[in-house]
Amino acid sequence: MPLVTRNIEPRHLCRQTLPSVPSELECVTNITLANVIRQLGSLSKSAEDIFGELFTQANTFASRVNVLVERVDRLQVKVTQLDPKEEEVSLQGINSRKAFKSSTTQDQKLFDRDSLPVPVLETYRSCNTPPPLNILSPYRDDGKEALKFYTDPSYFFDLWREKMLQDTKDIMKEKRKHRKEKKENPNRGNVNPRKIKTRKEEWEKLKMGQEFVESKDKHGPAGYPSPAVYQNGSIGSGESMDGNCFPPPAHTDSVVPPPPSFPDDSLPPPPLEFRVPAAQGG
């Protein structure tokens, strides 16, 4: 339900009951003109209220900007006076200093009765008072107030409070559950990370012998069998092979290609600590 802040009255300029007059057209004209003047007066009052609020907010904003400018000026003076060449600050001195802590204050009671805008407060005061149902509260057996069945201003606050309390209970219950699972299974979250392979290990294997590099290429980069390459050009993995999808038999006169060679020019030069010294002639 939208809340109207400002009402411009009257809304209908000509919708009125005409009295018994000889000239009805002249009466309607006078009534319309009077309602137009009243509407302009209501509009000017609302405009004055709007510009008054803008003036108040602008003054508040200007005062905050002035305070911020003063703080920036003081900080600028301190920064210009600091000379890193003359005053040396060690890492231990930085760690021993007290950390910066903001002094931000939390605003409360933003939607209080005193914070209502003037038009809304006038609308609130012009409303009819609720019926005196409190006189029936002593006759209730459950001890509840009879007026709250007609109007309850604290209903939404109580509903929000119950929801927040229930959320807090659910969060605490979930934390206790995780804490209990962690005590029962202490090694549950320990996962062995995958070892990162570097170029240094490859040069170590190459230094120890060429067969280490060939075995690596034979089993794949991660230690798994390399995919099979058929004669028709298709590629298949060893895990997905079953009895119905074997590669076609090789011809008897086919020649098995030799294993790929690894010349020394195909790899970048090894680091200095892994180079093999050249044999010196006697």
Side-chain angles (χ1 to χ4, degrees):
M1 176 180 174
L3 180 61
V4 180
T5 306
R6 298 173 179 87
N7 290 319
I8 306 299
E9 296 292 342
R11 297 177 57 188
H12 306 289
L13 301 179
C14 306
R15 192 179 300 178
Q16 288 189 9
T17 304
L18 295 177
S20 57
V21 292
S23 179
E24 295 182 355
L25 182 59
E26 184 178 358
C27 182
V28 171
T29 304
N30 293 334
I31 291 174
T32 304
L33 183 59
N35 288 335
V36 167
I37 296 174
R38 291 172 56 194
Q39 195 177 61
L40 288 175
S42 178
L43 182 61
S44 63
K45 183 180 179 181
S46 299
E48 180 186 2
D49 183 43
I50 291 173
F51 284 107
E53 289 184 359
L54 289 177
F55 180 74
T56 305
Q57 293 178 4
N59 286 336
T60 305
F61 181 74
S63 61
R64 294 177 62 184
V65 169
N66 292 332
V67 172
L68 184 60
V69 168
E70 293 177 359
R71 293 178 60 185
V72 171
D73 292 340
R74 291 195 299 267
L75 182 61
Q76 185 177 3
V77 171
K78 290 182 180 179
V79 171
T80 53
Q81 292 177 354
L82 180 61
D83 191 0
K85 296 181 180 179
E86 297 180 359
E87 182 180 359
E88 295 183 358
V89 181
S90 62
L91 184 59
Q92 296 179 356
I94 295 176
N95 296 330
S96 62
R97 292 184 180 180
K98 189 177 181 181
F100 173 77
K101 185 177 180 182
S102 177
S103 60
T104 304
T105 57
Q106 300 292 336
D107 295 334
Q108 298 180 357
K109 297 182 179 181
L110 299 177
F111 302 99
D112 199 4
R113 185 64 56 83
D114 298 333
S115 63
L116 283 177
V118 177
V120 177
L121 186 59
E122 292 179 356
T123 304
Y124 178 79
R125 290 174 179 175
S126 63
C127 295
N128 298 327
T129 58
L133 299 178
N134 285 334
I135 58 178
L136 302 177
S137 299
Y139 303 100
R140 295 189 59 86
D141 298 335
D142 52 2
K144 296 182 180 179
E145 297 182 6
L147 184 60
K148 287 190 175 182
F149 290 93
Y150 180 81
T151 174
D152 188 5
S154 61
Y155 170 76
F156 293 101
F157 175 77
D158 295 339
L159 187 64
W160 171 80
R161 184 181 60 181
E162 291 178 1
K163 185 178 180 181
M164 291 295 104
L165 291 176
Q166 185 64 33
D167 293 344
T168 306
K169 291 180 181 179
D170 295 341
I171 292 173
M172 296 302 295
K173 184 178 179 181
E174 192 71 20
K175 287 184 178 180
R176 287 195 296 267
K177 181 180 178 181
H178 286 311
R179 195 179 298 112
K180 184 178 179 181
E181 292 178 355
K182 189 175 181 180
K183 289 182 179 179
E184 293 178 355
N185 301 323
N187 298 327
R188 181 181 179 182
N190 297 333
V191 180
N192 295 327
R194 186 179 62 181
K195 185 179 180 181
I196 300 177
K197 295 185 178 181
T198 59
R199 197 69 176 174
K200 182 178 179 181
E201 296 179 359
E202 296 183 3
W203 284 111
E204 284 284 354
K205 293 181 180 180
L206 186 61
K207 179 181 178 181
M208 296 175 63
Q210 190 73 18
E211 61 275 5
F212 291 95
V213 181
E214 294 180 357
S215 62
K216 176 184 176 183
D217 296 336
K218 181 178 179 181
H219 293 285
Y224 298 100
S226 59
V229 181
Y230 302 147
Q231 293 182 359
N232 56 359
S234 61
I235 300 175
S237 60
E239 297 179 357
S240 60
M241 294 176 58
D242 52 4
N244 299 327
C245 57
F246 285 103
H251 297 285
T252 56
D253 54 347
S254 62
V255 180
V256 179
S261 60
F262 296 89
D264 297 336
D265 297 336
S266 61
L267 296 175
L272 296 177
E273 62 270 17
F274 299 113
R275 291 186 181 179
V276 181
Q280 300 179 358

